[in-house]
Every structure is written in structure tokens, then in C-alpha cells.
């Protein structure tokens, strides 16, 4: 075998050809880096460096084609068209329940993959968060405090905050901090008194200063958790319809532009405000399904989340609407 002295110095064309040969031998002929080096008189270190260079230059593209793989092109387009710093987009499934589960799992994985695990996580509740709590992996954090971002249910219903916070905290080897108040009460006077109550004020303070805030987006419908739990009364539903509400974030109802639609309901709500959400260090909105397209658009337009975790169908609709707005502004 000839001595391994490294490749002779050559021009750019020879260098490109050498990169091509390294890639072909490794990826097409399935030779190990050691075997490629022996074939081309390179060290294993040189082969590894050239494979990285080929990936960076686009000579080699690695594509994951699993049906649950993320849609990175859509993610990039959403970030480009909005104030989002990051998007996570997974394929839409044939069944809405399966889509919700896939998005919840993606959100759980996003939390688990954060470079620095949060010491404090503020979390809202609902069906999507129940699915996230079931999907979050063990030891996703170490000693995390999981704090309730808005008041809970006035009567038992889907997406119970107690079970959600307990599960997420347990999997993160931490503790849960509950907000012992309903999400929406009967009168502004009662709401104001509850917000002044020291234990509630303390929990809200912890939620405001959390490292990460995660919340689902709720639609305005008879099937929503807030309606089914009795937090939103029939008269409130009429008012929301008249004001053009498209959904809620932590129990705060907004219109298509992301503005609050009802000072009356706002005064009766207990939890983080939209200003608190906008000021969060890292805010992650989790949403799936056709029924949530309008509220997803409102959330992104109003800059109420840094990160959006959603399905490809919602992402496509959002992309087209945001692109249309951008085109209109450029006229």
C-alpha cells in the first residue's frame, strides 16, 4: 500500500472531484471513512472533514422521508414571513385526533430538546396540553417548576390542569405550582379580589418570570374547553360572536388581528394577560386542525409567540395568508 501522505495540492476542479469521490465511496458504495481514506490515500480525519464540507456545500443532501418527519421548508417559510424565531411543523394526519397527537408529541420533543432545560415552565391547559403531558419523555428536565399560567376549570372537564401539570412536573423531576382560581369568574370585582390574594399573586408572578411559556390555542366553539367547563357562559358566547372573536390564548379572547375583543371578559379572567404572553422569555404556541387556523393566524400576526408548533395543513394556510399580507404591504 502506498504511504499515506495526503492528497497532492491541486486546483479547485481537482478539489471538487475529490469531494465527489469521497461522497460516492462513502454514501453510494457504503465504504467506511477508514476504507475511503485507504482508497484515496487520506487520513480518516480528512475524510470526515470532507464529508462535512460536502454537506455544507450542498454536494450531499440528507433527507428524512419518514411519514412523521418535520417539514423544514415550511418551517423556514413561516419564520421568514413572520416574527417567529422558530417553527416546528409535522405532517397532517388523516384523522384529526392523530394530527393533534402528532403535534403534541412534537411540542413535547421540542421542550425535551431545548439546549438549556428550563428551571421554570409556565403552562396553560386543555386537550392539546393533555396530549403533550402524555407524550413528554422521562427526565426531559431536572428539578423543573411547572406553574399554571391561567386559572382552571369551574367544574370538571377535558384538559384538567391538575393532571397536566402533575404529569409534566413528574417527568421533569420537579414540582407543580397550581393557580387556585377559575379561569373566568362571574364578576370583575371578584376577579380583582382574587388577583390580589397573596397566594394567587405569587403564582402569577412565577408564571410571568418563567423561562418558557407553553400554551394551546383555543377556538370559539360550543366544544371548546372553556365553554364545556362552564367558564364561558351562553351570554359570553353571543358577545364573542358579535365581536368577531376567533379564539383564545390563556383564556384571553382575540379577534383576527390578535387584539382583545371583550373588556368585559378580560376583566373577569384570572391568569397571564396577552401582554404577559408577549413579554415571555420564550413563548411556544401549540395548535392543530382546521378549526384553529384563524386563531393561529391571529397569534402569529400579533407576535404572541416566538415558536409555533403545528401541523402542515395549518402551516400551509398560515404561509399563504402571511405571504398575501406581505405582498399587499409591498404594493
Amino acid at each position: 500500500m502506498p504511504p499515506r501522505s495526503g492528497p497532492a495540492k491541486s486546483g479547485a476542479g481537482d478539489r471538487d472531484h475529490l469531494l465527489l469521490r469521497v461522497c460516492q465511496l462513502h454514501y453510494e458504495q457504503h465504504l467506511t471513512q477508514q476504507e475511503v481514506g485507504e482508497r484515496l490515500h487520506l487520513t480518516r480525519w480528512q475524510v470526515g472533514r470532507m464529508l462535512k464540507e460536502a454537506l455544507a456545500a450542498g454536494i450531499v443532501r440528507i433527507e428524512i422521508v419518514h411519514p412523521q418527519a418535520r417539514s423544514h421548508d415550511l418551517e423556514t417559510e413561516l419564520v421568514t414571513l413572520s416574527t417567529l424565531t422558530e417553527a416546528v411543523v409535522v405532517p397532517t394526519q388523516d384523522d384529526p385526533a392523530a394530527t393533534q397527537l402528532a403535534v403534541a408529541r412534537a411540542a413535547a420533543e421540542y421542550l425535551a430538546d431545548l439546549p438549556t432545560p428550563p428551571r421554570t415552565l409556565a403552562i396553560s391547559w386543555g386537550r392539546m396540553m393533555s396530549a403533550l403531558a402524555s407524550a413528554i419523555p422521562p427526565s426531559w428536565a431536572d428539578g423543573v417548576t411547572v406553574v399554571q399560567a391561567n386559572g382552571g376549570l369551574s367544574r370538571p372537564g377535558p384538559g384538567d390542569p391538575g393532571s397536566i401539570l402533575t404529569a409534566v412536573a413528574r417527568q421533569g423531576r420537579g414540582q407543580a405550582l397550581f393557580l387556585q382560581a377559575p379561569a373566568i369568574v362571574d364578576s370583575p370585582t371578584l376577579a380583582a379580589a382574587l388577583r390580589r390574594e397573596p397566594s394567587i399573586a405569587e403564582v402569577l408572578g412565577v408564571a410571568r418570570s418563567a423561562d418558557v411559556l407553553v400554551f394551546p390555542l383555543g377556538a370559539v366553539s360550543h366544544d371548546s374547553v372553556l365553554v364545556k367547563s362552564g367558564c364561558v357562559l351562553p351570554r359570553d358566547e353571543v358577545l364573542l360572536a358579535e365581536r368577531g372573536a376567533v379564539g383564545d390564548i390563556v383564556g384571553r379572547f382575540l379577534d383576527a388581528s390578535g387584539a382583545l375583543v371583550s373588556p368585559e371578559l378580560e376583566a373577569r379572567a384570572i391568569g397571564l394577560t396577552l401582554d404577559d404572553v408577549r413579554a415571555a422569555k420564550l413563548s411556544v404556541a401549540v395548535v392543530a386542525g382546521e378549526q384553529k387556523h384563524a386563531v393561529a393566524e391571529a397569534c402569529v400576526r400579533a407576535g404572541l409567540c416566538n415558536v409555533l408548533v403545528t401541523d402542515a395543513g395549518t402551516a400551509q394556510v398560515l404561509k399563504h395568508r402571511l405571504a398575501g399580507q406581505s405582498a399587499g404591504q409591498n404594493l
Side-chain angles (χ1 to χ4, degrees):
M1 180 183 298
R4 189 181 301 173
S5 58
K9 294 183 179 179
S10 58
D14 291 338
R15 173 69 175 179
D16 286 345
H17 181 71
L18 182 59
L19 282 174
L20 175 61
R21 288 287 294 135
V22 166
C23 294
Q24 288 174 324
L25 290 171
H26 182 64
Y27 291 110
E28 295 182 350
Q29 298 188 30
H30 308 295
L31 299 186
T32 67
Q33 292 184 23
Q34 181 69 33
E35 291 168 337
V36 173
E38 292 173 355
R39 180 77 64 89
L40 300 177
H41 309 302
L42 301 169
T43 66
R44 182 176 177 179
W45 177 83
Q46 286 173 313
V47 172
R49 188 178 63 177
M50 294 181 79
L51 289 171
K52 291 181 180 178
E53 181 182 342
L55 279 169
I59 295 171
V60 172
R61 295 176 183 174
I62 298 176
E63 181 181 8
I64 301 173
V65 295
H66 190 279
Q68 296 179 12
R70 288 170 55 175
S71 303
H72 292 291
D73 289 345
L74 266 176
E75 293 174 355
T76 300
E77 289 174 302
L78 287 181
V79 170
T80 301
L81 290 167
S82 69
T83 60
L84 292 170
T85 58
E86 194 170 356
V88 177
V89 179
V90 296
T92 303
Q93 308 297 314
D94 294 334
D95 176 54
T99 298
Q100 177 173 277
L101 181 59
V103 171
R105 185 182 295 116
E109 291 171 354
Y110 177 83
L111 288 177
D113 292 341
L114 285 172
T116 302
R119 301 300 300 170
T120 309
L121 170 69
I123 189 169
S124 187
W125 45 270
R127 297 183 183 93
M128 179 66 81
M129 293 297 102
S130 289
L132 182 152
S134 297
I136 200 159
S139 302
W140 71 273
D142 189 9
V144 66
T145 295
V146 182
V147 57
Q148 191 172 333
N150 60 313
L153 304 172
S154 56
R155 62 173 180 256
D160 171 60
S163 59
I164 293 169
L165 269 73
T166 300
V168 174
R170 182 177 61 248
Q171 295 291 76
R173 299 176 181 175
Q175 62 179 345
L177 188 57
F178 299 101
L179 185 60
Q180 301 290 357
I184 302 172
V185 296
D186 288 338
S187 73
T189 302
L190 175 58
L194 286 171
R195 292 190 208 101
R196 290 192 300 268
E197 205 281 325
S199 63
I200 292 176
E202 180 182 0
V203 172
L204 287 174
V206 174
R208 289 190 189 98
S209 63
D211 298 319
V212 182
L213 167 64
V214 180
F215 55 90
L217 303 183
V220 179
S221 74
H222 295 301
D223 190 48
S224 78
V225 174
L226 287 172
V227 171
K228 292 181 77 69
S229 67
C231 290
V232 173
L233 303 174
R235 69 172 186 271
D236 299 324
E237 291 186 75
V238 173
L239 183 147
L240 290 172
E242 291 174 347
R243 302 281 179 85
V246 297
D248 80 279
I249 293 175
V250 294
R252 313 285 177 162
F253 288 89
L254 55 161
D255 63 17
S257 70
L260 289 167
V261 300
S262 172
E264 300 93 327
L265 270 175
E266 179 71 5
R268 292 161 45 201
I270 301 173
L272 296 184
T273 66
L274 291 190
D275 286 340
D276 292 331
V277 172
R278 193 177 281 108
K281 296 174 185 176
L282 177 63
S283 56
V284 182
V286 189
V287 62
E290 183 177 356
Q291 193 179 31
K292 307 289 183 69
H293 289 174
V295 68
E297 180 183 0
C299 178
V300 173
R301 284 191 188 280
L304 289 166
C305 62
N306 308 120
V307 179
L308 180 70
V309 184
T310 191
D311 64 290
T314 301
Q316 285 283 5
V317 170
L318 191 53
K319 181 190 78 170
H320 290 307
R321 291 179 180 177
L322 293 173
Q325 177 195 39
S326 178
Q329 290 175 344
N330 293 329
L331 291 177

